[in-house]
Amino acid sequence: MSEESRDASGGEAWSPSRLGISPLHLLIGWITNALAVFVAAWIVPGFHLEDPLSAFLVAAAIAIVNAVLPPIVAAVRMPFTLVLGFLLVLAIDAGALMLADSTLDGNVTVDGFPDALLAAIVISGLAIAIAVVLGTNDDDRYSLRVIQRIARRQRQRTVESTPGIVFLEIDGLGLPILRAAMQDGYAPNLARWAAEDGYRLTEWETDLSSQTGASQAGILLGSNEGIPAFRWYERDTDNLMSCSAPKDCAEIERRLSTGHGLLADGGASRGNLLSGDADETILTVSRVDAEMKANPGYRDFLANGFNVTRALALFAAEVFIEWTAAARAKRRGVLPRGHRGGKYPFLRGAMCVVVRDLVVFGVLGDMMRGRPAVYATFASYDEVAHHSGLRRADTMEALRKLDQQFGRIARAREFAARPYEIVVLSDHGQTQGATFKQRNGYGLDELVDEHLQGSVVDRSGGDEQAAMVGMAAAEATGRRPDEEEDPEMPGGGALVMGSGNLGLVYLTDSDHRLTIEELDEQHPGLVDAVASHPHVGWVLVDSAEEGPLILGNDGRRVPREGRAEGRDPLEHFSANAEAHILRTHGFEHAPDLLVGSFYDPELDEGCAFEELISFHGGLGGPQTRPFILHPEHLEAPQEIIGAAAVNEVLRGWRDELQGSGPEATTEAREVPA
């Protein structure tokens, strides 16, 4: 039965384009893969061909096996879907070569399963490289056909005419950096949408703090009240909260959700910290418990057998790119330069390849099934920028690869189960500069320790990307991600945390937030030492006599009285800086000292209180200037202040497209297998 829908109002019904692959494309793909097999036989010691023509037989055998078996694996419900499916499909790829060895009468020889596995990965990597050079990659259509077939078998594909909306978030990309990337050729798809396809760029201003936890709470749930930073301390429960911990993300969502989030009523969350009340999730930190069981969301990725070997090949390539980029930066004496060793290259490979591709296939599956709203976060640019810098070559290459994936998603719209609008946005930007510790030789915790009668515990650092990789591992293995242990605080101690260039200082021996009068009495010189530091821009502290005070090196603001004394500590920040700071001052769990780094508008730099050379979380520079790239007919106000205001805009667009509910304007029906 053909796929069709009828618009209830009598309008034109949506009819997806038919997916087909021409014989010419099949022939070119066969030749490309045969060439990859031939070259792999020269590289892998335990893989041999009798003659060049044998490469065509092997390529055909691999293609047939991958067309038949992986979709069957993907369609089977199993626990630990990601790891078991990944391993099974990987075994199938290697098994295809073993099968060729046993059936092609000496045309191919494989010494053993490890050699077959290595050869399969090398063949996949070579096929990617050859297809890119020749411009012959036509794998998208095959993948979409497989996804559609799985959706029909599961009776999840519903064709209808009500438009859906896909929100694609580029984590950490500021508007100025995007504009430069569009001009320099690193975002050709987004540039074309803006220049030719009627898209507009709209800037919005983040709250304090400018980080994914607070921004996604506002965007997806409509509120980020009570989130002062990436990490914060709650005195009443003696609990350290973190926007990367699954239990804390679940608690944040419990506190803020009204049940009417951006993705309520049939939406899907892909790669986010919070779910936005979505019905379907993949790699959503607040839903880790729900995702620990069999998750069918990975099936679309696993259904194409080449995805697994391709992911491993590209993962290895990304690790190599990081190693060479780090060595080049060190050799050239590039400054500022962040820490790029240890496990980071592998974290980068996971974020830039494996997690990215899982999210892409989740989005494609949602479109083929006709879900009304999808919100997907892509964190690879943010991850690379933290360590490499805002506009370094390898950072912009990570952005170019994201732009490439967005083009892939846009091309899939004509085959989707409903028409889709695509909106690209960011949750915050980043600002660059040498870290506080690099500049001074000591951290904020050590500065506090010099003027404190007691012990200091530093809990700086907040890696959202590590949380996402941990989520993937948790869903793969069925084990919960490792939770951060709350620090045991001795009496008279302080807890110091960095959230980009925002610092938080809690005096944990007190059962309430201390005023400046109490701080000066108990810890003489502490407030002055922090506020007068040359790399500190401002400090928020409460006063029993004057209310909230914003202190700087050579002056202060007294907001309650509307006056400033001496040099304005907020002179280099946005006109809304004071309002953002005072809003955080009103949060129940605001720290005793809220510290913002300096910002130099001429150099466009500040400094983080954690070891990231490009950072976000506070005020100053591109970190507070994210964007929304949207179709022109979806109108946006000229001024958007705060993530909750973004929620109003995005929710308004969804309501405009879909009416009061996702199914308001059409009659939809399931299409049988």
Side-chain angles (χ1 to χ4, degrees):
M1 183 177 293
S2 63
E3 294 178 330
E4 61 181 8
S5 69
R6 188 171 302 280
D7 191 286
S9 63
E12 184 177 352
W14 170 252
S15 180
S17 297
R18 294 184 62 85
L19 278 161
I21 302 176
S22 70
L24 178 60
H25 281 143
L26 289 174
L27 177 61
I28 293 174
W30 184 26
I31 295 172
T32 299
N33 291 333
L35 181 58
V37 171
F38 179 74
V39 176
W42 284 84
I43 297 175
V44 180
F47 176 55
H48 312 280
L49 297 175
E50 181 180 353
D51 55 62
L53 292 179
S54 300
F56 287 90
L57 297 176
V58 175
I62 293 173
I64 292 171
V65 170
N66 273 294
V68 175
L69 295 183
I72 296 175
V73 171
V76 175
R77 236 178 224 284
M78 64 182 79
F80 316 144
T81 307
L82 181 56
V83 67
L84 290 182
F86 199 93
L87 292 176
L88 284 172
V89 173
L90 193 62
I92 288 171
D93 287 332
L97 293 178
M98 299 292 290
L99 180 64
D101 182 11
S102 62
T103 59
L104 294 181
D105 297 329
N107 288 293
V108 57
T109 302
V110 183
D111 292 348
F113 185 81
D115 299 290
L117 183 59
L118 178 59
I121 296 172
V122 171
I123 289 169
S124 180
L126 290 169
I128 295 169
I130 295 169
V132 169
V133 171
L134 300 179
T136 59
N137 186 13
D138 195 43
D139 186 58
D140 282 356
R141 285 175 173 262
Y142 174 75
S143 294
L144 293 176
R145 291 177 70 184
V146 174
I147 294 171
Q148 283 187 359
R149 188 160 67 244
I150 292 175
R152 290 194 191 100
R153 286 175 177 172
Q154 296 174 345
R155 295 186 176 273
Q156 291 181 335
R157 181 168 168 85
T158 300
V159 178
E160 59 180 279
S161 297
T162 304
I165 188 165
V166 176
F167 303 105
L168 304 176
E169 179 190 299
I170 304 178
D171 188 5
L173 181 61
L175 177 61
I177 310 304
L178 173 61
R179 283 179 173 153
M182 293 166 72
Q183 293 172 350
D184 295 342
Y186 288 105
N189 285 300
L190 301 187
R192 186 180 67 254
W193 296 358
E196 301 175 6
D197 296 344
Y199 271 68
R200 289 184 53 195
L201 266 174
T202 296
E203 180 176 346
W204 66 278
E205 184 175 329
T206 61
D207 304 287
L208 180 66
S209 81
S210 53
Q211 47 86 17
T212 302
S215 289
Q216 284 200 351
I219 294 171
L220 293 172
L221 299 174
S223 172
N224 56 17
E225 288 291 316
I227 303 178
F230 187 84
R231 286 187 175 95
W232 69 94
Y233 178 64
E234 300 189 344
R235 283 189 172 92
D236 55 343
T237 59
D238 193 32
N239 185 41
L240 181 67
M241 295 286 289
S242 170
C243 291
S244 63
K247 66 179 180 62
D248 294 336
C249 286
E251 175 61 17
I252 291 169
E253 192 152 53
R254 186 196 66 78
R255 294 177 184 181
L256 298 177
S257 173
T258 63
H260 302 289
L262 180 64
L263 302 177
D265 303 317
S269 166
R270 308 305 187 194
N272 304 313
L273 293 181
L274 304 169
S275 76
D277 297 320
D279 291 349
E280 300 286 339
T281 63
I282 287 180
L283 296 176
T284 299
V285 178
S286 66
R287 295 279 192 90
V288 64
D289 285 333
E291 294 187 41
M292 293 279 282
K293 302 174 184 177
N295 190 332
Y298 295 116
R299 294 175 182 172
D300 298 330
F301 177 80
L302 297 171
N304 184 348
F306 292 107
N307 285 337
V308 172
T309 49
R310 181 189 295 109
L312 288 175
L314 292 178
F315 173 86
E318 194 69 34
V319 172
F320 179 76
I321 289 171
E322 167 54 27
W323 283 338
T324 56
R328 183 170 58 248
K330 186 175 182 179
R331 184 176 66 252
R332 294 177 177 177
V334 174
L335 294 175
R337 190 169 67 243
H339 171 70
R340 302 177 68 169
K343 66 181 181 181
Y344 166 67
F346 303 97
L347 175 62
R348 170 174 170 165
M351 290 305 305
C352 291
V353 177
V354 181
V355 172
R356 180 200 67 194
D357 287 357
L358 286 171
V359 172
V360 167
F361 271 80
V363 173
L364 293 175
D366 294 329
M367 294 168 65
M368 296 306 108
R369 290 168 173 80
R371 303 200 197 282
V374 184
Y375 194 104
T377 295
F378 296 86
S380 53
Y381 169 84
D382 189 69
E383 173 65 20
V384 178
H386 277 321
H387 298 267
S388 298
L390 287 184
R391 295 182 59 183
R392 305 278 164 79
D394 57 321
T395 310
M396 301 310 286
E397 180 63 14
L399 179 58
R400 186 195 65 79
K401 291 174 182 176
L402 280 185
D403 177 87
Q404 186 180 51
Q405 296 299 320
F406 290 178
R408 183 182 187 185
I409 291 169
R411 290 191 298 273
R413 286 185 293 180
E414 66 174 298
F415 310 109
R418 64 163 86 206
Y420 278 97
E421 298 286 1
I422 293 180
V423 173
V424 181
L425 72 158
S426 60
D427 53 343
H428 52 76
Q430 291 197 33
T431 302
Q432 186 170 293
T435 69
F436 186 89
K437 191 168 187 176
Q438 287 175 342
R439 295 170 187 270
N440 298 288
Y442 54 85
L444 180 61
D445 59 315
E446 294 168 287
L447 175 63
V448 171
D449 188 45
E450 288 182 6
H451 301 275
L452 192 75
Q453 302 300 317
S455 301
V456 174
V457 172
D458 177 32
R459 294 305 296 261
S460 296
D463 201 330
E464 302 154 3
Q465 287 69 47
M468 201 57 62
V469 173
M471 270 290 298
E475 293 186 24
T477 62
R479 297 179 58 189
R480 293 185 60 87
D482 293 335
E483 300 282 5
E484 296 180 0
E485 294 183 2
D486 290 345
E488 293 184 5
M489 298 304 304
L495 181 61
V496 179
M497 290 174 282
S499 178
N501 69 327
L502 187 69
L504 297 86
V505 181
Y506 293 89
L507 281 300
T508 56
D509 58 337
S510 173
D511 61 359
H512 65 279
R513 185 181 179 190
L514 297 176
T515 64
I516 189 171
E517 293 85 359
E518 291 173 311
L519 287 165
D520 286 342
E521 179 182 353
Q522 297 177 23
H523 306 284
L526 172 62
V527 176
D528 288 341
V530 175
S532 63
H533 194 283
H535 295 132
V536 169
W538 55 269
V539 175
L540 171 68
V541 65
D542 196 23
S543 169
E545 298 179 0
E546 299 175 285
L549 299 177
I550 302 172
L551 311 178
N553 296 161
D554 302 307
R556 66 176 192 161
R557 279 195 184 196
V558 187
R560 179 183 292 177
E561 300 178 11
R563 62 183 172 87
E565 300 172 358
R567 186 176 179 180
D568 185 359
L570 300 181
E571 63 178 337
H572 296 315
F573 300 96
S574 82
N576 299 308
E578 180 179 292
H580 291 311
I581 293 171
L582 292 180
R583 178 174 179 264
T584 302
H585 172 79
F587 290 169
E588 179 182 359
H589 303 293
D592 299 296
L593 294 177
L594 185 66
V595 185
S597 86
F598 82 100
Y599 172 67
D600 185 333
E602 293 186 4
L603 297 177
D604 194 21
E605 69 174 26
C607 66
F609 298 115
E610 52 187 339
E611 293 310 295
L612 301 173
I613 63 168
S614 290
F615 53 83
H616 53 88
L619 300 173
Q623 67 180 313
T624 62
R625 299 183 59 195
F627 68 89
I628 308 173
L629 180 65
H630 57 96
E632 193 169 18
H633 68 89
L634 298 177
E635 297 182 357
Q638 291 186 347
E639 185 177 68
I640 305 175
I641 308 297
V646 177
N647 173 271
E648 293 181 10
V649 173
L650 304 188
R651 184 75 217 194
W653 290 345
R654 184 180 173 190
D655 291 344
E656 177 183 339
L657 293 171
Q658 300 171 358
S660 59
E663 317 300 332
T665 60
T666 63
E667 293 179 358
R669 62 180 177 81
E670 292 182 349
V671 179

